[in-house]
Every structure is written in C-alpha cells, then in structure tokens.
Amino acid sequence: MIVCLAPNFKVLRSILHVITSPIKHFMALLPILRFPDPRLHKVAVPVAKIDDGIRRLAHDMAETMYEAPGIGLAATQVDVHQQLIVIDVSETRDSLLVLINPEILECEGGQIGEEGCLSVPGIYDRVERAERVVVRYQDLDGQTQTLAADGLLAVCIQHEMDHLQGKVFVEHLSKLKQMRIRSKLAKQARITA
Ligand code: K1U
Ligand code: ZN
C-alpha cells in the first residue's frame, strides 16, 4: 500500500481554520468604512475624557489594524468620530502608538511616497507630505506627549490625521484619478455584492 504523505493544503487550511477561528471570535474586529462612504468625511471631535471606553476602542482598533493588516487606523474609519488614531510602522508589529487629540506643532520639508488606505482597498498612489512632523497628543493614561517623526511614521501620522479631518488620501490626487478610483471601487462593489 502506498501512503501519500504530500501535504494536503485543503486539510491543512481546515485545521488552521479550526485553530484560529475561536481566537478570531474573541478579537473585536471593527468594520472599516469604505470610500466613498460619506461618513469618511465627518470631522472628528476631541476626546473629552480618556476612560475605559476609549481604552477599549483603542484596543479594538489596534486589533483591527493588525488583522487587516495595516500600519495605521483612524477612529473615523470605524465610524467613531473622535480624535483617536493607532499606528504601528514597525516590521516586528510590536510598537503600537495610540495618539489621542493629536496636533501638529511643526512640519518641515517634503517627501513623495506611495500610500494605501484600508478604506480604499487595492488603490495605491503617490502623495506629497511633509518629511518631518512634531506632534503633540495624549496617551492612554491622559499624559501629554510630544513626538518628532520622519519617514514612514511622519507620512502615516499625516495620513491618519487627515482621516480625523474627514479627508481620504485619494483627495490629494487629481480629479481625473479620483473619478477612475470611484468607478473602479463601484465595479468591485458590484462584483462582491
Ligand atoms: O489609514 C489607513 O487606512 C491605513 C493605511 C495607512 C498608510 C499606509 C501607507 C501610507 C500611509 C498610511 C494602511 O496601513 S494601508 C496598508 C499598508 O500600507 C500596509 C499593510 C501591511 C504592511 C505594510 C503596509
Ligand atoms: Zn487611510
């Protein structure tokens, strides 16, 4: 009798599903709004009190960002219109930043880089941003912090702070590109409906 020991990927996938689905069940993954949802254009209000509700929201947003996967997420994208963002640009995915009520104090220089957005799946384009920013924010303990950032972290902070102002990165692109993106996403939505 010949026993086939070649990996059966269907079986492996089922085993993995059985192992990971209870874990995913306990993770509070939040639904992410998709462009051109008008709720993405709401302007977020400052967080008045940093309490357990805000800490729970930050935790759920972080899980949602890691699961997506993404390097940032703004509360606006999960239909909460308060000034809270989570970011992790590290390769090891172990350097979570939670920025509450962020304010840019200084920005300097310029850089053009490719951006994507969890609210605009499958679309990537070049956007001009400041090269360095200094941002003041409150952390989860309500302490005021100041962070100087450059490179990808600076880009990500600017991208997420745009979300809090109701601006999606595609709005930095030409009107023609925006029209093409809208029709591509509408087509995708029809296919997946
Ligand atoms: O705001 C968002 O929708 C998250 C977005 C942040 C961002 C990406 C690129 C430049 C500026 C800001 C994303 O995370 S899109 C996904 C992404 O870029 C990524 C995902 C996994 C690993 C590395 C990058
Ligand atoms: Zn985005």
Side-chain angles (χ1 to χ4, degrees):
M1 189 179 67
I2 301 167
V3 180
C4 179
L5 292 175
N8 180 332
F9 288 109
K10 243 182 168 173
V11 173
L12 282 178
R13 218 176 29 221
S14 312
I15 295 168
L16 256 179
H17 177 76
V18 169
I19 296 169
T20 59
S21 58
I23 299 167
K24 283 187 182 168
H25 183 75
F26 289 111
M27 289 169 69
L29 299 180
L30 306 169
I32 298 176
L33 298 178
R34 291 207 172 181
F35 183 81
D37 191 309
R39 290 171 289 180
L40 285 168
H41 301 301
K42 287 191 181 182
V43 177
V45 297
V47 172
K49 187 164 180 261
I50 300 171
D51 56 13
D52 285 347
I54 288 294
R55 283 186 273 273
R56 160 63 45 192
L57 173 65
H59 176 269
D60 293 348
M61 283 174 57
E63 282 193 340
T64 305
M65 172 190 74
Y66 285 123
E67 168 70 14
I71 56 170
L73 191 67
T76 308
Q77 292 175 278
V78 294
D79 202 20
V80 176
H81 302 282
Q82 298 197 50
Q83 294 177 6
L84 195 163
I85 63 186
V86 294
I87 292 179
D88 190 345
V89 297
S90 72
E91 280 185 16
T92 42
R93 315 292 278 152
D94 59 358
S95 305
L96 179 67
L97 277 169
V98 178
L99 276 60
I100 300 167
N101 300 329
E103 289 169 82
I104 298 218
L105 302 179
E106 288 170 37
C107 57
E108 199 182 297
Q111 59 177 320
I112 296 176
E114 182 112 320
E115 294 190 20
C117 181
L118 299 174
S119 296
V120 197
I123 306 290
Y124 299 87
D125 214 323
R126 287 150 60 84
V127 176
E128 184 169 4
R129 302 281 187 186
E131 166 58 22
R132 280 174 295 280
V133 294
V134 177
V135 62
R136 182 168 62 202
Y137 64 95
Q138 286 166 278
D139 65 19
L140 285 174
D141 298 317
Q143 298 298 311
T144 299
Q145 306 284 353
T146 304
L147 172 73
D150 60 9
L152 182 58
L153 178 57
V155 170
C156 196
I157 289 171
Q158 293 170 80
H159 177 115
E160 302 310 334
M161 287 185 68
D162 266 1
H163 275 304
L164 298 181
Q165 291 304 312
K167 189 166 180 175
V168 181
F169 90 101
V170 295
E171 290 162 64
H172 285 275
L173 308 176
S174 69
K175 289 279 173 239
L176 179 63
K177 278 189 176 176
Q178 288 186 43
M179 266 170 53
R180 285 182 179 154
I181 290 166
R182 277 172 189 270
S183 62
K184 192 174 168 182
L185 292 176
K187 206 168 163 186
Q188 272 176 16
R190 281 198 300 275
I191 292 166
T192 51

